[in-house]
Amino acid sequence: MHQRPVLLVIAHGSRDPRHAATVHALVRRVRSRRPGLRVEVGFLDFNIPSVQGVLESLAAEGVRDVVALPLLLTRAFHAKTDIPAVLREAPARLRIRQAEVLGPSPLLLRALERRLYEAGLTPADKSTTGIVLASAGSTDPEAIAVIDGLAREWWRTGWCAVRPAFASAALPRTEDAVRELRALGCERVAVAPYVLAPGFLPDRIARGAVDADVLAEVLGPAPEVARVLLERYDAAALTPVLAAVGA
């Protein structure tokens, strides 16, 4: 029987213990959705196990095929530079495919709405509620364009207005977007963090949401996020192996 590639979820890592705890909760949900699939997690920084350590352990066990999945919402520096560099250092016996990042995906919009409804909104509130789509931010114009496009797409589903905001590297900040939505005349303003796990930048988003009516939780282990991970895994498992990785 052909052995399915191991799924290696690559997370950024953080000094904030909530980050790793949330990543592990998401990985548990992925495992529960696909019981026969081996899912490992490695961190780029701050937490263990490291990505390199997991790859070396897998190679030592005799694993051949790995799908490396960046736990990222946009294709920016980590997806384009950091992660490929780490994968190139992998043991030569491994055949590694790098999956696409999670976003954009309609499922992630559903996860954002799930978090807003859990925070107290209802579908009946949509037309009178302005949303701040608050992401970590990036210096990569492609990543910023994706967030802008996501805000426009989400607005078309019936919200009063949707404005992107960024916790770093780009403007506007969350608090500025909250003020703009108030000025537009939306009856209430909600902040939806477009981030996967708690940490320094999500805390900055929360501070910027102090004048909003609703602050949703981070996406975390939402079932829709787990589904996107498995979609990305399945797509990558069918693609040719990158010859440069581990060569």
Side-chain angles (χ1 to χ4, degrees):
M1 177 181 153
H2 176 67
Q3 196 69 29
R4 279 186 290 184
V6 171
L7 169 54
L8 171 59
V9 175
I10 299 180
H12 185 274
S14 170
R15 291 186 179 89
D16 188 322
R18 296 172 300 166
H19 173 89
T22 303
V23 170
H24 287 302
L26 175 57
V27 167
R28 285 194 296 274
R29 191 179 282 275
V30 172
R31 288 185 183 125
S32 72
R33 292 189 72 95
R34 189 79 60 89
L37 176 63
R38 181 171 177 183
V39 186
E40 301 289 345
V41 62
F43 296 91
L44 290 172
D45 213 348
F46 301 118
N47 302 103
I48 54 172
S50 68
V51 175
Q52 190 68 28
V54 176
L55 291 170
E56 288 169 3
S57 295
L58 291 172
E61 279 181 43
V63 169
R64 289 287 285 149
D65 290 288
V66 176
V67 167
L69 193 154
L71 197 59
L72 299 166
L73 294 170
T74 56
R75 283 191 78 250
F77 179 78
H78 294 301
K80 295 176 180 178
T81 305
D82 272 8
I83 290 172
V86 172
L87 297 180
R88 279 194 294 272
E89 298 298 314
R93 65 167 285 116
L94 292 177
R95 293 187 297 237
I96 301 179
R97 298 162 173 88
Q98 183 175 331
E100 288 296 324
V101 297
L102 302 184
S105 165
L107 285 168
L108 294 176
L109 279 181
R110 280 165 54 185
L112 286 164
E113 294 210 351
R114 169 191 291 277
R115 292 300 188 230
L116 286 169
Y117 297 149
E118 288 170 353
L121 292 180
T122 71
D125 296 323
K126 284 185 92 162
S127 64
T128 54
T129 302
I131 303 294
V132 178
L133 177 64
S135 77
S138 173
T139 55
D140 189 311
E142 180 187 347
I144 298 301
V146 166
I147 301 299
D148 289 342
L150 190 64
R152 285 193 299 273
E153 181 184 343
W154 204 12
W155 169 68
R156 292 189 194 105
T157 67
W159 295 98
C160 172
V162 181
R163 292 289 184 271
F166 306 95
S168 68
L171 295 172
R173 294 283 180 260
T174 301
E175 52 269 33
D176 300 323
V178 169
R179 277 194 292 270
E180 184 186 347
L181 290 169
R182 289 262 185 246
L184 275 175
C186 298
E187 278 184 27
R188 70 189 67 73
V189 175
V191 173
Y194 189 56
V195 292
L196 287 164
F200 175 74
L201 293 177
D203 283 350
R204 183 180 284 177
I205 290 170
R207 288 195 299 274
V210 67
D211 291 328
D213 301 293
V214 173
L215 171 62
E217 290 291 328
V218 300
L219 295 173
E224 296 86 356
V225 178
R227 279 183 59 193
V228 178
L229 256 77
L230 289 169
E231 283 183 2
R232 299 292 184 255
Y233 167 83
D234 290 337
L238 298 173
T239 61
V241 177
L242 298 173
V245 174

